[in-house]
Amino acid sequence: MNTPTSRAACMQADERDPLAGFRSRFVLPQGVIYLDGNSLGPMPATAPHRAAEVISEEWGDQLIRAWNTRGWFDLPARLGEMLSPLIGGQAGETVVTDSTSINLFKAVAAALTIQEADRPGRRVIISERDNFPTDLYILQGLAAFIDRGYELKLINDDQVNLDDLLDDSVALVALSHVNYRTGLLRDMAAVTAQAHNAGALMLWDLCHTAGALPIELSACAADFAVGCTYKYLNAGPGAPAFIWVSEQHQNRFWQPLSGWWSHRAPFDMRPEYVPAEGIGRYLCGTQPITSMAIAECGLEIAAEADMAEVRRKSLALADLLIDLVETTCADHPLTLITPREHDRRGSHVSFRHPEGYAIVRALIARGVIGDYREPEVIRLGLTPLYLSFTDIWDAVEILAEILDTRAWDTEEFRTRGAVT
Amino acid sequence: MNTPTSRAACMQADERDPLAGFRSRFVLPQGVIYLDGNSLGPMPATAPHRAAEVISEEWGDQLIRAWNTRGWFDLPARLGEMLSPLIGGQAGETVVTDSTSINLFKAVAAALTIQEADRPGRRVIISERDNFPTDLYILQGLAAFIDRGYELKLINDDQVNLDDLLDDSVALVALSHVNYRTGLLRDMAAVTAQAHNAGALMLWDLCHTAGALPIELSACAADFAVGCTYKYLNAGPGAPAFIWVSEQHQNRFWQPLSGWWSHRAPFDMRPEYVPAEGIGRYLCGTQPITSMAIAECGLEIAAEADMAEVRRKSLALADLLIDLVETTCADHPLTLITPREHDRRGSHVSFRHPEGYAIVRALIARGVIGDYREPEVIRLGLTPLYLSFTDIWDAVEILAEILDTRAWDTEEFRTRGAVT
């Protein structure tokens, strides 16, 4: 589509928007333009009812019986099956459980164990200097703990590329599909093939793509993936994350967080650990059922959305945002750090500005909720299920006004503290 | 107190019960006598309101801002501080986070790392054959993963005692304070001292004691402890668990699940992992906020209860239960497997019966909710905050009737499947 050049044109684009109907599936506060669904997705309209149901009816009335009568035990697998098509997984390859960090640990541990059997001696793990920190921290913590000489090497696209590092010392490549700060999208098929050609396994962090764009883990022959559900999948604050393991790897080895939910027969209560077959092996302990049950509300909506359509609109919203910022805010030192090319861009757009922190706070005070990331980064999420073209128009008008009037330049906004 | 010998005497005991007022703090379904609070505690009366608040007001209206404006980031530490006095911990020694299984992994990993530095060469971990399986599974998974020759040796009080195994090869003793099946209570002070005398560190699983009886981790000089909050702390289904680490050990080494919530400055987003000082180091990733927020409702109640009084009543309820079962059900092959001595008994009572499974199902059908554990074990939880002496009287009457009439002997009840 052509990028709208007036508010009226934005309204026309909204009228033609095939996803417009999804807006009513969410509750958003009056007066807010929410550009932070890439950090915490908003509340599905069904969530309050589901919360009341799981609390009062299931916990309150059913008590312990709800584990069976209300299917609590099945939630990780059931939500995993709902989510799997959104990431291009097959049946039985995904569970919703634990946190992204913990699922990373399981996946990395399993990948290294497989490589130690198949290609012994490989002791390098490649990631990215600008990866989301928890990915790097988990790699560091795991490597230090097992103390078998694993070394973390980091790409940094300006200086060190994957090509520079990939050789027969590499056990695993662990990258984010979309960079949390810049919004850079990696080519999953190409990078996975590149890793495999060097004999490395490939782990994808999908936190910033699951629910945002079409993903084809199986078609790309990826090995492991993890991601969170509380961003583009609108599953609720801190909702359990997911882990996807290619069927070929699932039964080869234990993952080390071998709690009872990963046992073949947990209620036999035997002292010997015997792992479940299949993706159930990647569970660990008892899951937070209230958070898990509410997560289904967001997953239901995502499962109904056409991801190709979501992607199309996300790119159009971002094109509009970039165009408008570069025209209406041209006098201000805003630097786009997100790639302009559609095939290299995820679903958020980031600008650097020396006063980025204060600007984000001023935006929030005016109802435009984006977020700030070190250093100097104003990060704006484009979430097609509940944002309109007119929202983007209005948000940029407010941004331009804040910049033009230096409304950010107050002690309140400049003082570091909580961003929001 | 003297054990009541009539329903009228039970009612009199209830009238004198200093904990009777706590009953109204919980919602329990009509017609149910709930003897499974040791598996899933019932719903605090405040939980539905708190759930609505965290869903609609905090997530719905505050959106991402709630992390700061509603204190979501602080929940693990804040709930940890509420819980710490209940387990005899000091300030800054407890966080509520993740699952018991995952917290076990962190604690065991840290303990072994400390021992490898302080007392190298120790490669034995002692636990108990009849420990809750997840404890054993985590030990097995961790030992297999690090592959440094750790060996798991299991006590079994009938044949192998701690004395038989404790020598200078032992790095860690990991036991449950109360056995999940038999209800056997271990002497925390004595066992901890015994482990320390042999140079071993001591890890306690408090799943079946936290909120059930007074615990003195610090006074007993324990090293690590974990436990769940959804049993006697009534925090909700699968609510996040807790981990307690003695202050002396906290800053010595990383724990390997080193996600960003355990970083000294998570929002600096730096690639190098630098652990937080203190118990924050034992966090990992983003927590399930809805489940976490609701957990506070149960913890608030527990924090108000006098644990010595709770313990006194729990023992009295159990004495009553044992007496009544042994008199009114004397003609049936019920075998008490819980120790009779007060100082060796936790807060549940278990009987074996060859038809235990069907009997539990028949009890549930009559509104007496207990649970079944392999093999043949009828497990009944005594939870003083919402159970009365009259409840116990009535429950045993129903049990006796089921046994006398063989009401359990139906295809429905005998067919194995979900217990509840």
Side-chain angles (χ1 to χ4, degrees):
Chain A
M1 62 181 288
N2 295 324
T3 301
T5 54
S6 67
R7 194 170 195 278
C10 287
M11 291 173 73
Q12 282 167 13
D14 291 334
E15 275 167 28
R16 293 189 303 266
D17 174 10
L19 297 174
F22 280 98
R23 171 67 184 79
S24 65
R25 308 287 292 276
F26 297 92
V27 175
L28 280 156
Q30 286 288 328
V32 160
I33 300 176
Y34 195 55
L35 304 180
D36 211 3
N38 55 325
S39 190
L40 174 63
M43 184 180 76
T46 52
H49 174 75
R50 183 73 186 105
E53 186 178 55
V54 70
I55 295 292
S56 295
E57 282 183 38
E58 301 187 1
W59 179 19
D61 283 348
Q62 289 289 300
L63 292 158
I64 189 69
R65 296 169 291 190
W67 280 104
N68 298 303
T69 60
R70 297 306 187 96
W72 288 353
F73 278 123
D74 303 327
L75 276 168
R78 194 156 61 77
L79 299 190
E81 290 305 302
M82 287 176 72
L83 199 154
S84 208
L86 292 166
I87 56 175
Q90 309 297 308
E93 290 187 329
T94 313
V95 279
V96 172
T97 188
D98 296 330
S99 67
T100 302
S101 298
I102 284 167
N103 289 334
L104 276 164
F105 188 93
K106 297 171 190 167
V108 173
L112 299 185
T113 306
I114 288 170
Q115 290 288 52
E116 288 179 12
D118 292 354
R119 298 178 187 86
R122 290 175 177 246
R123 286 293 183 272
V124 170
I125 302 170
I126 294 179
S127 191
E128 177 182 13
R129 179 164 304 280
D130 195 30
N131 206 344
F132 189 75
T134 216
D135 298 56
L136 301 178
Y137 301 161
I138 288 289
L139 291 170
Q140 291 168 55
L142 189 153
F145 179 53
I146 64 176
D147 194 21
R148 291 203 281 271
Y150 279 97
E151 184 187 357
L152 185 57
K153 293 190 177 175
L154 301 177
I155 63 173
N156 174 344
D157 291 313
D158 297 341
Q159 301 144 26
V160 184
N161 285 293
L162 199 50
D163 277 336
D164 304 330
L165 297 179
L166 266 178
D167 60 27
D168 64 7
S169 71
V170 180
L172 177 67
V173 178
L175 293 172
S176 286
H177 194 195
V178 158
N179 181 279
Y180 79 101
R181 185 191 277 129
T182 63
L184 170 75
L185 171 69
R186 292 196 184 276
D187 181 335
M188 182 177 280
V191 173
T192 302
Q194 207 179 346
H196 287 176
N197 286 340
L201 293 174
M202 187 72 221
L203 163 61
W204 288 104
D205 179 334
L206 306 179
C207 281
H208 284 274
T209 46
L213 46 85
I215 301 171
E216 293 295 346
L217 284 169
S218 291
C220 295
D223 299 295
F224 296 88
V226 300
C228 77
T229 63
Y230 50 73
K231 298 179 188 290
Y232 296 95
L233 294 166
N234 309 302
F242 65 86
I243 179 165
W244 171 89
V245 180
S246 166
E247 193 274 339
Q248 61 171 320
H249 298 311
Q250 287 172 7
N251 297 329
R252 290 202 57 199
F253 294 100
W254 301 4
Q255 58 86 8
L257 297 176
S258 50
W260 67 312
W261 279 44
S262 74
H263 196 275
R264 186 172 301 184
F267 286 94
D268 285 0
M269 305 270 172
R270 294 185 190 283
E272 299 81 23
Y273 180 66
V274 183
E277 296 288 306
I279 190 65
R281 185 173 300 194
Y282 284 80
L283 299 175
C284 181
T286 306
Q287 291 301 296
I289 293 303
T290 309
S291 285
M292 183 82 96
I294 293 164
E296 189 167 4
C297 301
L299 291 175
E300 274 170 355
I301 300 172
E304 287 175 40
D306 174 349
M307 278 296 134
E309 199 64 66
V310 167
R311 174 65 170 161
R312 210 155 25 235
K313 180 173 169 189
S314 157
L315 290 169
L317 290 171
D319 286 344
L320 173 64
L321 176 71
I322 294 169
D323 272 16
L324 290 176
V325 168
E326 293 191 338
T327 51
T328 65
C329 309
D331 297 340
H332 301 283
L334 282 166
T335 310
L336 179 70
I337 63 168
T338 303
R340 285 173 199 275
E341 308 92 305
H342 284 184
D343 60 357
R344 296 185 63 229
R345 188 210 295 162
S347 198
H348 67 267
V349 170
S350 296
F351 297 93
R352 278 185 82 144
H353 186 294
E355 298 293 343
Y357 180 83
I359 293 166
V360 168
R361 295 200 55 184
L363 280 167
I364 293 170
R366 290 286 304 275
V368 178
I369 302 181
D371 69 16
Y372 175 76
R373 285 289 177 257
E374 294 293 349
E376 303 186 352
V377 174
I378 301 167
R379 188 177 75 162
L380 306 171
L382 288 317
T383 45
L385 297 181
Y386 48 85
L387 282 179
S388 67
F389 292 91
T390 313
D391 286 333
I392 302 304
W393 182 275
D394 293 344
V396 178
E397 280 214 327
I398 292 168
L399 171 64
E401 196 184 308
I402 286 170
L403 292 172
D404 291 344
T405 61
R406 295 180 66 91
W408 51 265
D409 193 7
T410 69
E411 195 180 325
E412 182 197 349
F413 294 147
R414 298 184 71 151
T415 304
R416 290 303 176 104
V419 174
T420 45
Chain B
M1 65 182 284
N2 294 325
T3 301
T5 54
S6 67
R7 195 170 193 278
C10 287
M11 292 174 72
Q12 283 167 11
D14 291 334
E15 276 166 30
R16 291 190 303 268
D17 175 10
L19 297 175
F22 281 97
R23 172 68 184 79
S24 65
R25 307 286 294 273
F26 297 92
V27 175
L28 280 156
Q30 286 287 328
V32 161
I33 299 174
Y34 195 54
L35 304 180
D36 211 3
N38 55 324
S39 190
L40 173 63
M43 185 180 76
T46 53
H49 175 74
R50 182 73 186 106
E53 186 178 55
V54 71
I55 295 294
S56 297
E57 281 183 39
E58 301 187 2
W59 179 19
D61 285 346
Q62 287 289 301
L63 292 157
I64 189 69
R65 297 169 289 190
W67 281 104
N68 298 303
T69 60
R70 298 306 188 96
W72 288 354
F73 278 123
D74 303 328
L75 276 168
R78 194 157 60 78
L79 300 190
E81 290 305 301
M82 287 177 72
L83 199 154
S84 208
L86 293 166
I87 56 176
Q90 309 298 309
E93 290 188 330
T94 313
V95 279
V96 171
T97 188
D98 295 330
S99 67
T100 303
S101 298
I102 284 168
N103 290 335
L104 276 163
F105 188 92
K106 297 171 190 168
V108 173
L112 299 186
T113 306
I114 289 169
Q115 290 289 50
E116 288 180 12
D118 292 354
R119 299 179 188 85
R122 290 176 176 246
R123 285 294 183 271
V124 170
I125 302 169
I126 295 179
S127 190
E128 177 183 14
R129 179 165 304 279
D130 195 29
N131 205 344
F132 189 74
T134 216
D135 298 56
L136 301 178
Y137 301 162
I138 288 289
L139 291 169
Q140 291 168 56
L142 189 155
F145 180 53
I146 63 175
D147 195 21
R148 290 203 282 271
Y150 280 97
E151 185 188 356
L152 185 58
K153 292 190 177 175
L154 301 177
I155 63 173
N156 174 342
D157 291 314
D158 297 342
Q159 300 142 28
V160 184
N161 284 292
L162 199 50
D163 277 336
D164 304 330
L165 297 178
L166 266 178
D167 58 29
D168 62 9
S169 71
V170 179
L172 177 68
V173 178
L175 293 173
S176 287
H177 195 193
V178 159
N179 182 278
Y180 79 102
R181 186 192 277 127
T182 62
L184 170 75
L185 171 69
R186 291 196 185 277
D187 181 335
M188 181 177 280
V191 173
T192 302
Q194 207 179 346
H196 286 175
N197 286 341
L201 292 175
M202 187 73 221
L203 163 62
W204 288 103
D205 180 334
L206 306 179
C207 281
H208 284 273
T209 46
L213 48 84
I215 302 172
E216 294 295 345
L217 285 169
S218 291
C220 295
D223 299 294
F224 297 89
V226 299
C228 77
T229 62
Y230 50 73
K231 299 179 188 291
Y232 295 96
L233 294 167
N234 309 301
F242 66 85
I243 179 165
W244 171 89
V245 180
S246 167
E247 194 274 339
Q248 61 171 320
H249 298 312
Q250 288 172 5
N251 297 329
R252 289 203 56 199
F253 295 100
W254 301 4
Q255 58 86 9
L257 297 176
S258 50
W260 67 313
W261 280 43
S262 74
H263 195 277
R264 186 172 301 183
F267 286 94
D268 285 359
M269 303 273 173
R270 295 185 188 283
E272 299 81 23
Y273 180 66
V274 183
E277 296 288 305
I279 191 66
R281 184 173 300 195
Y282 283 79
L283 300 175
C284 180
T286 306
Q287 290 302 295
I289 294 300
T290 310
S291 285
M292 184 82 94
I294 294 165
E296 188 168 4
C297 302
L299 291 176
E300 275 169 356
I301 300 172
E304 289 174 42
D306 174 349
M307 279 297 135
E309 199 64 65
V310 167
R311 175 63 171 162
R312 209 153 27 235
K313 180 172 168 188
S314 157
L315 291 168
L317 290 170
D319 286 344
L320 173 64
L321 177 72
I322 294 169
D323 271 17
L324 290 175
V325 169
E326 293 192 335
T327 51
T328 64
C329 308
D331 296 342
H332 302 283
L334 282 167
T335 311
L336 180 70
I337 63 168
T338 302
R340 285 172 201 274
E341 308 92 307
H342 285 184
D343 60 357
R344 296 187 61 229
R345 187 209 297 163
S347 198
H348 67 268
V349 170
S350 297
F351 297 92
R352 279 186 81 145
H353 186 293
E355 299 293 341
Y357 180 83
I359 293 165
V360 168
R361 295 201 55 184
L363 279 168
I364 292 170
R366 291 285 304 275
V368 178
I369 302 181
D371 70 14
Y372 175 76
R373 285 290 177 255
E374 294 292 349
E376 303 186 351
V377 175
I378 302 167
R379 187 177 75 161
L380 306 171
L382 289 316
T383 44
L385 297 182
Y386 47 86
L387 282 179
S388 67
F389 292 91
T390 314
D391 286 333
I392 303 304
W393 182 274
D394 293 345
V396 178
E397 280 215 328
I398 292 169
L399 172 64
E401 195 184 309
I402 286 169
L403 292 171
D404 290 344
T405 62
R406 293 179 66 91
W408 53 264
D409 193 6
T410 70
E411 198 179 321
E412 181 198 349
F413 294 146
R414 299 185 69 153
T415 303
R416 290 303 175 106
V419 174
T420 45

